[in-house]
Amino acid sequence: MDANGDFVVIGRINRADGPAWGSAVVSADSPLPPLGEDLPYTVVRELPAELTEEDRDTVLYTLPLPLPCNNYPMLFAPEQRPDAHSVQRPSYPLHGAPIPDLRQEDGPRLREPITLGQWVKARGQLEVTLSADRRSATFAFAFTGLIPNSLYTVMSLREHDLDPAGPTRPGPLGVPNAFISDGHGMAHYQATLPNPFPAAGTPGANRVINVVVLWMSYQQNYGGAIGHFGLGGDIHAQLKLRGPHFQEFTTRD
C-alpha cells in the first residue's frame, strides 16, 4: 500500500473490459466479488511504464489486518495462527513492520523507507530441470535488484490453490524456502520438489503452475507455511510469472 491506504498494484488488474497485466494505484474500497469472479477495480490512477520521480519516491506499506478487499478464505498457517483472520493491526511502512521480539540494540538492518522505485528494480531468472527418472524437478533461481539485506521466501502456486469450489493451501517451494539478499540485492535459491508436474487426470493431481518470490516484512519464515496473514500483510509478492507455466513438463510418483 501507499501512505494513503491505496493498493500499489503491478500485475493483473481487473478492468471493465477484462483483466490485463498493468500497473496502477487501486482503491482499497474497490467492489469485492465472490472468490473466482471478477469485478473492475476502482483505479485511483494509472502508473506509467516509466515511473515519475514522485512515483519512484512512493514509500511502500504493509496492508492493515484484517486484510482489506479480501475474498480469499484460506488460513495460511492453520497450526501456527488459527486466529489469523481475527488479528487487527494498522498499516506499517515496510521498513517499520513489527518484527516479533525485535530490540533495536540487536541491529535491524533495514532502517530506511522502501520505495516503489527500489521495488521495481527486482529481476529474476528461473531454470527448471527434471530428474533423470522424472520423479522430481529442481528449481534454480538467480536474482538481482532485490531489497538488500532482506529475508525472502519462495512459494509455489498450484492449479487448485485458487479453485472457488475448494481451494488448496499455497505452500513453500522447498523447505526451508528462505534466502537472504546481499548488500547489493543479489541472491540465489534452489529447491527440489517431488513430482511437481503430475500428468493431467492423475488422481489427486495438483500441478505447480507458478512461483512467487516474497519479501518478508516481519523478517522471518514460517516452516511449512508461506506466512501468517497472507499477501500484503506479512508477505509481499515482488516477483512472479505472469500466468500459468510449466505445461511442457510432466513428472511422476
Side-chain angles (χ1 to χ4, degrees):
M1 281 188 149
D2 62 17
N4 298 321
D6 294 317
F7 299 118
V8 182
V9 182
I10 300 174
R12 197 183 83 154
I13 298 177
N14 289 342
R15 304 182 189 276
D17 57 354
W21 194 272
S23 303
V25 176
V26 172
S27 173
D29 294 324
S30 294
L32 188 64
L35 179 64
E37 299 180 18
D38 290 334
L39 285 174
Y41 295 162
T42 302
V43 174
V44 177
R45 63 187 178 87
E46 304 288 344
L47 289 171
E50 183 67 31
L51 295 176
T52 66
E53 182 176 356
E54 181 179 2
D55 291 330
R56 290 194 299 271
D57 290 341
T58 297
V59 176
L60 299 181
Y61 285 69
T62 70
L63 272 61
L65 301 177
L67 300 177
C69 205
N70 177 38
N71 63 5
Y72 193 47
M74 184 59 59
L75 271 175
F76 293 99
E79 294 182 10
Q80 301 171 53
R81 266 332 267 267
D83 63 336
H85 291 327
S86 65
V87 175
Q88 296 187 26
R89 291 181 186 169
S91 178
Y92 298 93
L94 289 187
H95 74 292
I99 298 172
D101 301 311
L102 175 68
R103 301 178 302 185
Q104 289 301 314
E105 62 265 30
D106 293 329
R109 300 186 187 186
L110 295 174
R111 298 179 181 271
E112 299 297 325
I114 295 171
T115 65
L116 182 58
Q118 291 176 283
W119 193 259
V120 299
K121 291 180 180 178
R123 298 290 184 272
Q125 292 184 325
L126 167 61
E127 182 178 273
V128 178
T129 306
L130 301 190
S131 61
D133 61 6
R134 306 183 74 84
R135 293 182 182 274
S136 64
T138 297
F139 299 74
F141 299 82
F143 302 107
T144 61
L146 300 178
I147 305 302
N149 300 315
S150 292
L151 183 72
Y152 281 86
T153 64
V154 185
M155 65 170 275
S156 63
L157 187 68
R158 294 179 182 263
E159 59 182 334
H160 297 309
D161 286 352
L162 299 177
D163 182 358
T168 49
R169 177 163 60 93
L173 188 82
V175 177
N177 65 329
F179 65 90
I180 296 176
S181 56
D182 68 17
H184 302 286
M186 301 177 67
H188 291 83
Y189 178 76
Q190 182 170 304
T192 300
L193 265 59
N195 191 24
F197 310 119
T202 303
N206 198 10
R207 291 174 59 95
V208 173
I209 59 172
N210 209 327
V211 294
V212 187
V213 179
L214 304 170
W215 187 83
M216 309 299 285
S217 53
Y218 289 29
Q219 296 301 299
Q220 61 183 22
N221 81 316
Y222 302 91
I226 59 171
H228 281 170
F229 303 113
L231 292 169
D234 56 340
I235 58 177
H236 309 273
Q238 192 171 12
L239 290 170
K240 67 174 292 188
L241 302 171
R242 289 195 176 192
H245 276 65
F246 313 127
Q247 296 92 337
E248 68 270 33
F249 299 123
T250 302
T251 52
R252 62 190 182 93
D253 285 329

